[in-house]
Amino acid sequence: MTNAGDREKTQPVPDSGCTKSDVEHLFGKCILRFQAFELLMKAIVAQHRVSGSNAQPKDALTRQVDDTQRKTMGLLVGDMMTSFLVPEGQEGLSDETVELSGSSFTILQQIVLPPDEFARIEAEHRDLVALRNSLVHHFLEEHDLRSEAGCHGARQALVAALDRVTRAYNDLSGLALENAAARKAMAELLATPVMRDWIVSGQPPWPHTTIVQALHNASTALAACDWTSVDAAAEWIAAHYPDESPKDYGCRTWRQVIHDSGLFELQRREADGRRHAWYRPSVQKPVPN
């Protein structure tokens, strides 16, 4: 049983009217939330991809940050939806290249989404750009703040806009946390000796490469008496890792990858008047999980 005081607390508070001052306060809050959303996008876009010279890696990040700071919200959404968030099948570096003298590097972080999810997020962000532009450039054209009815309509529009940008900001914050965790993991990886050797000498970080993992998995799938035919492994990898190729690692053949990585034993056998290469993972240098 409830008393009169309890009933009074649970009853919805009636709308006591809306003034121009109320609308202005809510408008400012809405614009500030859009700016926070835009700043978060700038942080993600500026750091998810960096290309530069090995001799001056910090300069590359500085240029990227400076370039991003000058971009509008619409350009930021375009960058984010074509490079950081990508649909399945379009991950990886784009065809565009940056002309750099000497040795160079590119670090890319991406979140790959199912096509339907990508399309939904892209549409939402495009709508947010249109909403933000409408608020900044056309709000007074669309709402007459000289009347109480006009103020009511403006308030309803702002409440809806604030709710949309707040939800988008919260969702983007989750992606930013994932991005930060990935950057931390990347920083720890770059601090390892094998990665430092890669940056300084150009030697691939073999234990961390996909091609070595593919060779390891091919050996597990095909090995007979511990040894695997290099030709058979190449066919298996072509079926299971179609994007992997020795040339992407500066090698001419699969035998060169096996030899240069230092993670496998390699031998040649005579059969049918020809010499065939066989390999097996090195016991001393196992491929890490």
Side-chain angles (χ1 to χ4, degrees):
M1 182 174 181
T2 58
N3 56 36
D6 292 332
R7 287 196 300 272
E8 182 178 350
K9 292 178 182 178
T10 58
Q11 292 297 319
V13 178
D15 192 347
S16 58
C18 179
T19 66
K20 181 178 179 181
S21 178
D22 297 329
V23 173
E24 290 172 345
H25 174 78
L26 191 56
F27 181 86
K29 187 176 181 179
C30 200
I31 293 299
L32 289 175
R33 187 60 53 84
F34 267 102
Q35 287 192 6
F37 179 71
E38 190 171 340
L39 287 173
L40 189 56
M41 272 200 298
K42 286 182 178 180
I44 290 175
V45 170
Q47 299 184 42
H48 87 284
R49 173 177 177 172
V50 181
S51 299
S53 167
N54 287 344
Q56 297 176 315
K58 291 184 179 179
D59 291 347
L61 181 57
T62 299
R63 288 194 302 271
Q64 180 76 2
V65 170
D66 290 343
D67 180 61
T68 302
Q69 291 299 320
R70 293 190 292 270
K71 291 186 176 181
T72 64
M73 184 175 173
L75 291 176
L76 290 171
V77 168
D79 285 352
M80 191 172 70
M81 301 307 301
T82 57
S83 185
F84 176 61
L85 299 178
V86 295
E88 292 175 346
Q90 296 185 28
E91 57 269 30
L93 291 171
S94 62
D95 293 334
E96 62 184 69
T97 58
V98 178
E99 294 295 332
L100 296 167
S101 59
S103 59
S104 61
F105 70 93
T106 296
I107 298 175
L108 175 66
Q109 295 174 285
Q110 291 181 319
I111 294 179
V112 182
L113 301 169
D116 291 346
E117 181 71 3
F118 176 84
R120 180 188 66 80
I121 294 176
E122 182 177 33
E124 287 181 354
H125 282 72
R126 298 294 184 189
D127 289 345
L128 281 171
V129 172
L131 178 58
R132 180 260 183 198
N133 291 341
S134 177
L135 288 175
V136 172
H137 301 294
H138 305 293
F139 188 74
L140 289 180
E141 297 174 7
E142 298 171 352
H143 301 281
D144 182 6
L145 303 187
R146 294 170 297 181
S147 67
E148 185 174 341
C151 288
H152 275 297
R155 182 182 183 280
Q156 290 176 350
L158 289 171
V159 167
L162 184 60
D163 178 66
R164 288 187 63 183
V165 70
T166 298
R167 284 187 282 110
Y169 178 85
N170 291 337
D171 290 343
L172 194 61
S173 294
L175 296 179
L177 289 175
E178 293 183 27
N179 196 33
R183 286 202 309 274
K184 180 180 178 181
M186 177 63 72
E188 293 172 352
L189 179 60
L190 290 174
T192 61
V194 68
M195 294 301 287
R196 287 199 299 269
D197 290 344
W198 175 43
I199 294 173
V200 173
S201 66
Q203 181 75 6
W206 292 114
H208 304 283
T209 59
T210 303
I211 199 168
V212 162
Q213 188 63 54
L215 284 164
H216 184 72
N217 292 342
S219 175
T220 300
L222 303 174
C225 299
D226 292 336
W227 291 89
T228 304
S229 163
V230 173
D231 292 337
E235 292 181 5
W236 188 91
I237 292 171
H240 294 82
Y241 295 83
D243 294 331
E244 291 302 304
S245 171
K247 67 180 182 180
D248 294 332
Y249 298 85
C251 297
R252 295 186 304 277
T253 65
W254 286 99
R255 289 193 302 275
Q256 185 179 354
V257 173
I258 292 168
H259 176 271
D260 289 358
S261 71
L263 296 170
F264 303 94
E265 297 177 36
L266 183 65
Q267 68 173 217
R268 290 175 174 81
R269 301 178 183 178
E270 291 283 348
D272 302 324
R274 296 177 55 194
R275 302 187 70 185
H276 300 271
W278 293 70
Y279 77 99
R280 68 180 179 182
S282 171
V283 176
Q284 290 77 24
K285 297 180 180 180
V287 176
N289 291 329

